Structure formats: structure tokens, C-alpha cells
Amino acid sequence: MEQTSVIIRPASLEDAKALQRIYAYYVEHTVITFEYEVPTVKEFRDRMAKIMEKYPYLVAELEGRPVGYAYAGTFKTRAAYDWAVETTVYIDRELRGRGAGRQLYEALEAALRDMGIVNMYACIGYPEQEDEYLTRTSAEFHEHMGFTLVGRFSNCGYKFGRWYHMIWMEKIIGDHVDDQPTVRFLKKEMN
């Protein structure tokens, strides 16, 4: 499949409607997210604002329109977990498999490394057998990006009348040292 070169830029809250539209497909037609209801644009915007207080939120743009996004969020709320994040990426369904996800994740990883993050985690829906709602493509993508499998929760997500597993994958992007430098969280004024 032909690779697409996209522009990667920081998200703004004005992107919420376009990004919510991308996400809606995955809520309504897949088990890539275990969410049942599409959040409203306001809910989506509020989620973005909360994430953007501390972490990078990136948009892939093609011909002036958002076609994907990636962000990092809190892995766990305890201070000892500050150096670890959970990552997320969604691509417009028409552009999947054409390199935009890779470009977003590479940019996200670089931004996280600059902040002092050392562990990236991905929580991924995983089917016992692939079906029309969920394949193993996300796990394969993360493996290609350098993530390794670190855990599996059996039949923990129920959607579309079926049970699905959840796996956790990890990528180490920095050094773990005895005197670990403090993470440089983003501190932005939100509109």
C-alpha cells in the first residue's frame, strides 16, 4: 500500500470535532476501544484539554485536514509512575496502513523522551479469534514500533455480544537510573 506523508503538529482544542469524528468510527464499529457510546464533541474536547495539561497530543494532517491523532496520558496516578505513560493512536479508517500511525508514534515518542518519560505502555483489545470487530493489527503495529507484550487479561471486555481479551505492551525509551531526573510535564494555559 502506498505510504502517505502527513504533517505532524500539536493538537489544538479546535481539532476536537474532527478528531471526535475519527474516533466515532472505532466506537461504533470496532472493539479497538471498549467504549460503547461516542463522546460528544464537548466531552472529547474536555478529554483533550485534560491530557494537554501535562502530555503531548499530536495531530496528523493531510491536505489541511486532521486524519489521525496520538497522545500520551497518565499510566497510574501515584507519583512513582510519573516516568510511565499510556499511549493512544487513532487514524482515519481510510488511511490505515499507510504510515500515518507510524509517523505519529515516532513524533510522540520523541516528545515523551524529551520530557524524561522512560516507559511507554499501550492497552490493546485482543481477540481470541479475529472477527469483523477486532483483528490483531493493533498488536502487530505496536510490535513493529518496538513494543513487547507484557501482560494479558482474559475476556475482560464485552462488546457487540462477545468477550475480548486486553493486552498490555511496553516500550522502554529511556534509561532507568538511581537518581532519576524529574519528568518535565507540559504546563500550558488552556483556552
Side-chain angles (χ1 to χ4, degrees):
M1 185 173 282
E2 180 182 330
Q3 296 296 298
T4 300
S5 183
V6 294
I7 294 169
I8 306 296
R9 63 167 175 79
S12 74
L13 295 179
E14 288 72 38
D15 293 316
K17 185 174 183 179
L19 303 186
Q20 182 257 13
R21 193 174 316 125
I22 292 168
Y23 183 63
Y25 170 80
Y26 293 98
V27 173
E28 294 171 338
H29 302 284
T30 79
V31 186
I32 290 173
T33 174
F34 283 178
E35 193 158 13
Y36 279 20
E37 300 292 326
V38 177
T40 66
V41 173
K42 182 189 181 320
E43 289 168 333
F44 199 91
R45 179 184 165 99
D46 291 348
R47 291 178 188 183
M48 289 177 68
K50 179 130 181 83
I51 291 162
M52 292 164 66
E53 289 174 3
K54 290 176 71 172
Y55 297 105
Y57 203 121
L58 304 176
V59 168
E61 194 174 86
L62 180 64
E63 298 173 357
R65 70 179 179 93
V67 295
Y69 62 97
Y71 61 87
T74 302
F75 173 63
K76 293 285 184 184
T77 58
R78 304 286 193 267
Y81 293 109
D82 280 356
W83 295 267
V85 295
E86 182 178 348
T87 59
T88 300
V89 61
Y90 286 96
I91 303 299
D92 183 298
R93 70 179 188 262
E94 301 299 322
L95 287 178
R96 290 181 301 184
R98 296 180 55 193
R102 177 187 50 76
Q103 292 169 71
L104 275 166
Y105 248 33
E106 287 171 350
L108 181 63
E109 182 179 327
L112 293 170
R113 189 179 285 116
D114 287 347
M115 291 174 60
I117 299 296
V118 293
N119 293 36
M120 292 172 60
Y121 292 100
C123 178
I124 300 167
Y126 194 81
E128 185 69 32
Q129 293 185 354
E130 293 184 349
D131 61 25
E132 67 271 30
Y133 303 115
L134 188 63
T135 66
R136 295 185 179 111
T137 303
S138 184
E140 292 164 357
F141 166 77
H142 283 83
E143 185 176 4
H144 178 74
M145 295 301 300
F147 285 71
T148 57
L149 179 67
V150 292
R152 172 181 149 151
F153 294 83
S154 298
N155 294 320
C156 66
Y158 183 77
K159 189 172 178 182
F160 301 128
R162 299 177 188 165
W163 286 100
Y164 294 92
H165 307 308
M166 177 185 66
I167 62 172
W168 279 95
M169 297 185 80
E170 170 187 67
K171 183 174 183 179
I172 306 300
I173 62 170
D175 295 325
H176 296 86
V177 297
D178 291 339
D179 190 18
Q180 195 72 38
T182 303
V183 173
R184 294 170 301 283
F185 291 111
L186 305 178
K187 305 238 189 271
K188 294 182 179 179
E189 293 295 320
M190 300 309 298
N191 302 1

